Amino acid sequence: MTTTTATITTTVPTVPTVPTVPTVPTVPTVPTAPTAPTAPTAPFDAFAHALALLTGLGADELPPAGGVRLHEPAEGADAACEALLAGVWSALARPGALATNFRLVESGRQIDRSRWMRSRVGDGEILHTALVPGYLHSAVERGATLVISHLEALDERIMLLCEAFEYQLRARAWVNCYITAGTNSAFDVHSDDHDALILQLLGTKHWEVDSRTGARARDLAPGSLDRVLTPGMCLSVPRDTAHRVSGTGELTAHLTVGYEPFADVRQEISAARALVATTTGTTPTPRDDSREPARPDQPDQLDYLASRLALRPDRRPGASLRSALTGEIGATTRIRWASRFPPYVTTGDEHLTVTTMGRRIRLDRRLERTVALLARGGALTIDQLAADSDLPDTELRALLAFGARHDFLICEG
């Protein structure tokens, strides 16, 4: 085969000369005053924030015990509110495949999702979703409420906060978000079949909560709580307690942390109490088991609840791919206990027996202090853990790698 090569000749026209622009005289440089170093911003500690809110609601007993309670922080809530708000805005930016978690409610009715959300199925049958800002903005401005259900599935900060409440309340928890800019109430007077903690993040919101805790009333009794919540405030609303929520005319957002005890564990506690009463010849105190609080109020019940929850397989989301496969623990690796509930730990002369997610793990007694630090439930780095641990660095890293490999620790990053 013969290949013919053609030569193409192109004549480029001459570009006219651009007139020279006079040079601007140089302005003398003014010496810049030295800038004071900015203190690094501490990362948001979801576990510490949850603990502070629960303590503020009442140090003696955890909610829902104590009925309707309100916590007003003295100071320092702004940073936490901003961190959690960043999670809300992040979820709005990319609803993705969890578009059904979003609802727009006006006067008690849901607005058809096709009006304010666009979705398409792309390659690989992946759902791509985006909000329609124009319609959404006008609807919220005229009083509609945007509801984001299970926000913990959409943002990491909210996920860690949800984990912290689960761990400390020993109950299954989830987080919903409510955003509005009107003055009306999207749901009017109603009650929920679960306990709730209300975290006000942005603007103000008017709350009226019935004083008849758990009465499932359709109205509000005289003397009921009537307050306007501001950012940083936290309100505890027990289940079946009537309440009405309305905006104040400004953009406002709050989180509702819903939580509920495990019915099977609660029933086991009741059965155990009755069995003890029968064998000892005493008559158990009558109690309405359907309304028993998430955390029993007797030490023996607490111990029994802890041992039962440690047998549940419920695991926090997250993977330890790097640490499990290579044994490496980096400076920024986030270390957490893998179970959604605290482990049940018993000690012997030389060993610890750790029960978690239905498994029993036998460890050397020398690891007791470090295991206790990890079992607190918060997220730690290797440096934070080393500061309080009594283990040498090599042994500490070996424990973390072992935990990641056997999936009772989550070591991310």
Side-chain angles (χ1 to χ4, degrees), residues 169-241:
L169 292 170
R170 293 171 172 81
R172 181 184 288 111
W174 61 95
V175 182
N176 295 343
C177 180
Y178 300 81
I179 304 172
T180 189
T183 58
N184 59 328
S185 175
F187 303 99
D188 204 16
V189 177
H190 68 284
S191 59
D192 299 314
D193 60 357
H194 56 78
D195 301 301
L197 298 174
I198 312 304
L199 282 61
Q200 186 67 27
L201 300 184
L202 175 69
T204 57
K205 192 161 282 187
H206 184 201
W207 278 80
E208 300 168 88
V209 186
D210 195 7
S211 56
R212 299 164 294 182
T213 302
R216 293 188 181 180
R218 296 186 179 182
D219 58 355
L220 301 174
S224 297
L225 181 138
D226 188 337
R227 289 292 301 270
V228 173
L229 269 59
T230 58
M233 294 177 70
C234 180
L235 175 66
S236 174
V237 181
R239 60 183 171 178
D240 297 332
T241 301

Side-chain angles (χ1 to χ4, degrees), residues 16-351:
T17 305
V18 178
T20 304
V21 179
T23 305
V24 179
T26 305
V27 180
T29 304
V30 179
T32 305
T35 305
T38 304
T41 303
F44 173 58
D45 189 336
F47 199 87
H49 185 57
L51 179 60
L53 293 177
L54 293 175
T55 303
L57 287 170
D60 296 334
E61 53 184 359
L62 290 174
V68 178
R69 289 189 280 173
L70 181 64
H71 167 55
E72 302 181 59
E75 57 182 13
D78 292 348
C81 288
E82 288 299 326
L84 294 172
L85 268 175
V88 174
W89 307 143
S90 174
L92 283 175
R94 38 185 171 76
L98 297 179
T100 52
N101 288 33
F102 291 74
R103 292 182 294 145
L104 194 57
V105 180
E106 189 170 18
S107 301
R109 296 179 177 272
Q110 290 194 42
I111 299 176
D112 190 276
R113 194 174 282 111
S114 64
R115 295 187 180 183
W116 53 279
M117 186 175 280
R118 295 287 180 265
S119 300
R120 67 177 181 85
V121 178
D123 296 337
E125 298 185 355
I126 297 174
L127 180 64
H128 300 270
T129 308
L131 303 178
V132 180
Y135 190 96
L136 177 64
H137 295 172
S138 62
V140 171
E141 189 174 28
R142 69 174 179 258
T145 297
L146 176 63
V147 183
I148 310 175
S149 301
H150 290 281
L151 185 57
E152 76 278 4
L154 293 163
D155 180 78
E156 185 179 73
R157 286 153 291 205
I158 308 296
M159 177 195 76
L160 292 174
L161 182 73
C162 185
E163 285 184 0
F165 279 121
E166 279 192 331
Y167 209 82
Q168 296 178 60
L169 292 170
R170 293 171 172 81
R172 181 184 288 111
W174 61 95
V175 182
N176 295 343
C177 180
Y178 300 81
I179 304 172
T180 189
T183 58
N184 59 328
S185 175
F187 303 99
D188 204 16
V189 177
H190 68 284
S191 59
D192 299 314
D193 60 357
H194 56 78
D195 301 301
L197 298 174
I198 312 304
L199 282 61
Q200 186 67 27
L201 300 184
L202 175 69
T204 57
K205 192 161 282 187
H206 184 201
W207 278 80
E208 300 168 88
V209 186
D210 195 7
S211 56
R212 299 164 294 182
T213 302
R216 293 188 181 180
R218 296 186 179 182
D219 58 355
L220 301 174
S224 297
L225 181 138
D226 188 337
R227 289 292 301 270
V228 173
L229 269 59
T230 58
M233 294 177 70
C234 180
L235 175 66
S236 174
V237 181
R239 60 183 171 178
D240 297 332
T241 301
H243 55 278
R244 176 168 50 215
V245 190
S246 52
T248 58
E250 63 175 327
L251 181 62
T252 176
H254 79 264
L255 301 181
T256 294
V257 181
Y259 63 99
E260 58 186 7
F262 290 93
D264 54 342
V265 176
R266 194 170 62 241
Q267 290 166 4
E268 286 183 9
I269 293 172
S270 299
R273 186 190 304 114
L275 178 62
V276 169
T278 301
T279 55
T280 58
T282 60
T283 302
T285 303
R287 296 181 66 169
D288 181 358
D289 293 328
S290 66
R291 301 208 47 74
E292 189 170 351
R295 181 176 178 178
D297 52 8
Q298 299 297 326
D300 59 333
Q301 294 178 33
L302 284 174
D303 188 69
Y304 181 78
L305 174 61
S307 65
R308 296 302 299 161
L309 289 179
L311 292 174
R312 299 188 69 91
D314 304 75
R315 186 187 184 280
R316 292 171 164 179
S320 309
L321 194 59
R322 176 189 178 191
S323 300
L325 298 186
T326 68
E328 297 177 9
I329 306 293
T332 59
T333 298
R334 187 176 60 196
I335 306 158
R336 297 140 63 213
W337 197 265
S339 173
R340 290 168 65 180
F341 307 105
Y344 187 72
V345 182
T346 56
T347 57
D349 293 336
E350 298 181 355
H351 297 92

